[in-house]
Amino acid sequence: MDRRIDPALTDLLAGRLTRRGFAARAASLGLSLPVIAALLRGAAAAAAESGFPVTGPMEEGSGGTVVVGQESNWDVLDPCLGTGAVTWRTCLYQIYESLVARDMDNPVGLSDPVVPGITKSIDRSPDGKTYTFHLQPGISFTDGTPFDAAAVVWNVERQWDQGKLGRKNPPQFDTTAAAVRSWFWNPAQLVNLAAPDPHTVVFELAAPFAPFVSGMPESGLGTMGMSSPAVWKKSGTPGIAAHPVGTGPFLFESQTPGDQITIVKNPAYWNPAHAAKADKIIFKALTDPATRVAALRGGEVHVIFAPPVQELAGLQREGFIVTARINPHLWYLQVNAEEPYWKDRRVRQAFFMSINRAGMAHNLLKDTALSAVSVNGRTCPSWTDKAGYPGYNPTLARKLLAEAGFEKGFDTVFQIPTGGSGEMEPVQMAEWIAADAARVGIRIKLETMEWISYLHAWAGGMKPGIGMNQQSWGMTSIYWPNLPLRTTSVLNVGHQPDQRFDVLLDAADSALDEKVAIAKYRAVDALNAEEMWLLPIVNDLAPVAISPKLRNFVHSSDWWWDFKKVWVKA
């Protein structure tokens, strides 16, 4: 699509341009009537789904220091090892670039899944087992060393465990990185990696894996955040995190762990047309919500993530801007299949029908979330509102419990974090669920945990005595249902036992026709709507509060944020 239409899309969403005016501008750029109609539908959907704008003030210009208030601390600044969302979605995404990128600066939805970046184009063989990446020529890491096919191979071999193929791993291989990225490399079944020339990288798979490209950018930099091999050769793995070097629009300057990270504009960025606008960005760890809000009001920061929902109306009255947007984020529950009361499907269905999800989204979360109707992300091609999840129906829930032999209900334990990246209002949401469930006889005891401790407990799978737990996650890539629903997945933390999911997921993952893959993933969704092993509760619209001094802030339609065009007006 002609990117010259983007300013008109922004003006349309902000109310500065009428639909007729937008259509006229689009026609003048040569866009066809079907394309114009599709863009107008997308704009209407974005406006209808969220009562908040998608952007802040848009204006040409540059300069200033942008200060960002983040909701939690970050972990290691290494694109292979960083697991915390705050780490990769903001800080690292500005320093490193991924071999596969999505367009995060598009005011209406997602454009093509892959946009040209450090990779110029990608070819797939007819059998779906070979992917050839053609790299942009003439790019260097910010330490001056070349970004080329050899550097790509070096980065992949840090996290791709060739020991499983009977080969010896190279010196840079890191077992932790391989474990962190196993969610991608295990199903991808990479068997060979070659660099026939400095600008070409060839990936050979053992079998077709349709989400190979769409899965690469997940988790921000995903499996493909490119770091300079020279840093590792000089300082080892600790050196990568101590002084990150990528190809991105910003350079790492300094960090004070637990306090702040500072990055500065890269004056020699390889793509001058998309060079950074701000001179500097400071990311501050402000873990207390009240502290973040006070810092915004006091002019100490220009952006705060995860603002308390009860503060949003007041901030808007004071002239601050609250943006929100549909993204892949799903706040969901998983029940423990090894607890006896969940073994009857009617009990799982009854529990789901006891939860007033729409009421939670409107009354508790102040319309910063939407009632979830799919396990697939709302930005994902396989998302549908026709999967068949039942609505709020406590009367039918009580009837189903009685039929299953639980006329007097039962007791269970809900393990929940007190907060964390992307966690919205977890304790209050859990209390809402417990209150709803109590009305049909399900008595829930909350077991709260600090975020990092909770992540370790969650990733280890539910132990006996834990009835359910919660996570907030999701992907734009169609691959995501494999992680919580495949019986063999380490992230099937509720021990879901139904191998029918595996059969459908195998068919979806290997389908070379996207329409077939989408149909199979939707069949997975429909099966879960019957079985209710994973309970989709709400989709977060991820509100962000910004200062009116900030320019060109576009709310991301995915988990990570592109700050290239953002600057501060004095």
Side-chain angles (χ1 to χ4, degrees), residues 387-442:
Y389 288 91
Y392 175 55
N393 193 334
T395 301
L396 182 54
R398 282 188 288 268
K399 180 181 177 183
L400 288 172
L401 286 174
E403 290 176 358
F406 290 95
E407 296 90 345
K408 297 181 180 180
F410 59 91
D411 295 276
T412 187
V413 175
F414 185 1
Q415 204 170 57
I416 195 82
T418 54
S421 180
E423 273 302 313
M424 306 172 72
E425 305 279 352
V427 175
Q428 295 93 319
M429 295 165 75
E431 290 171 343
W432 178 288
I433 290 168
D436 279 352
R439 297 186 183 100
V440 301
I442 301 175

Side-chain angles (χ1 to χ4, degrees), residues 204-274:
E204 294 181 18
L205 313 182
F209 181 58
F212 186 69
V213 172
S214 71
M216 278 188 172
E218 294 295 348
S219 299
L221 293 158
T223 56
M224 286 296 129
M226 296 287 110
S227 64
S228 169
V231 175
W232 182 87
K233 292 171 184 175
K234 179 180 178 181
S235 308
T237 296
I240 295 176
H243 197 90
V245 174
T247 61
F250 286 91
L251 304 169
F252 172 81
E253 183 177 83
S254 64
Q255 69 167 311
T256 304
D259 182 17
Q260 69 180 43
I261 295 173
T262 302
I263 60 177
V264 296
K265 181 177 181 177
N266 178 3
Y269 185 53
W270 65 270
N271 189 352
H274 294 280

Side-chain angles (χ1 to χ4, degrees), residues 294-376:
L296 182 66
R297 285 186 166 126
E300 300 169 34
V301 301
H302 302 101
V303 183
I304 60 170
F305 291 104
V309 294
Q310 64 270 20
E311 293 279 6
L312 298 183
L315 288 170
Q316 288 174 311
R317 287 193 297 270
E318 295 164 35
F320 296 98
I321 299 156
V322 177
T323 68
R325 190 173 191 176
I326 296 168
N327 63 80
H329 185 228
L330 173 66
W331 200 94
Y332 64 93
L333 310 182
Q334 281 178 278
V335 298
N336 187 352
E338 296 178 353
E339 292 296 291
Y341 42 84
W342 293 130
K343 293 185 182 298
D344 191 312
R345 177 174 63 182
R346 292 169 295 183
V347 177
R348 304 191 298 270
Q349 293 171 333
F351 174 47
F352 185 73
M353 285 188 279
S354 76
I355 304 170
N356 185 354
R357 296 169 296 133
M360 177 192 290
H362 179 64
N363 297 314
L364 177 64
L365 300 174
K366 308 301 181 187
D367 295 321
T368 62
L370 303 171
S371 182
V373 294
S374 173
V375 299
N376 296 306

Side-chain angles (χ1 to χ4, degrees), residues 13-59:
L13 282 169
R16 295 187 294 268
L17 187 66
T18 65
R19 289 170 60 87
R20 180 174 295 179
F22 172 82
R25 192 178 302 182
S28 72
L29 291 173
L31 272 67
S32 67
L33 287 176
V35 170
I36 294 171
L39 290 171
L40 286 170
R41 286 195 300 272
E49 294 279 5
S50 170
F52 301 93
V54 170
T55 76
M58 307 295 284
E59 182 180 345

